[in-house]
Amino acid sequence: MSHEQDIDKHVRTYIKVFGALLVLTVVTVAVSYLHLSTGAAIALALVVATVKGSLVACYFMHLLDERKLILSVLLLTVLFFFFVLIGPWATELNPIVL
């Protein structure tokens, strides 16, 4: 595959993602005109926002190409989060006598 064909392929992908983002923006606005309950409207808006955010992150921020690094950072974050949660609990079980 030549360099020009590779660039054309990426440009077509970006245009498709841009079109999807436009459609999802219209869906977001359309949801505000539906007479849904507040909870249902918020849930639907969050789903649309999650899809839009995922499209931006995966394609425009090129995160699809960095899976190994992203998973490593995510795992490190989860481990750190559990240590932060377990730390106070562990000290409550074994109080230090001063």
Side-chain angles (χ1 to χ4, degrees):
M1 184 178 264
S2 72
H3 184 66
E4 291 177 11
Q5 290 173 339
D6 192 39
I7 290 174
D8 287 342
K9 179 183 172 192
H10 286 291
V11 169
R12 275 187 260 119
T13 301
Y14 292 146
I15 290 172
K16 288 177 186 175
V17 171
F18 179 69
L21 290 171
L22 285 176
V23 168
L24 288 170
T25 300
V26 170
V27 169
T28 302
V29 173
V31 166
S32 69
Y33 288 106
L34 297 176
H35 298 292
L36 299 174
S37 67
T38 303
I42 290 173
L44 187 57
L46 284 175
V47 168
V48 172
T50 301
V51 172
K52 286 170 59 176
S54 298
L55 285 172
V56 169
C58 289
Y59 291 99
F60 292 124
M61 297 174 68
H62 305 283
L63 295 183
L64 285 177
D65 300 331
E66 303 289 334
R67 283 183 189 232
K68 186 175 180 182
L69 176 65
I70 292 169
L71 290 176
S72 300
V73 170
L74 181 62
L75 179 64
L76 183 66
T77 303
V78 169
L79 289 174
F80 180 74
F81 180 72
F82 281 120
F83 281 126
V84 167
L85 287 179
I86 291 172
W89 178 70
T91 56
E92 183 69 28
L93 291 178
N94 241 344
I96 300 173
V97 178
L98 299 176

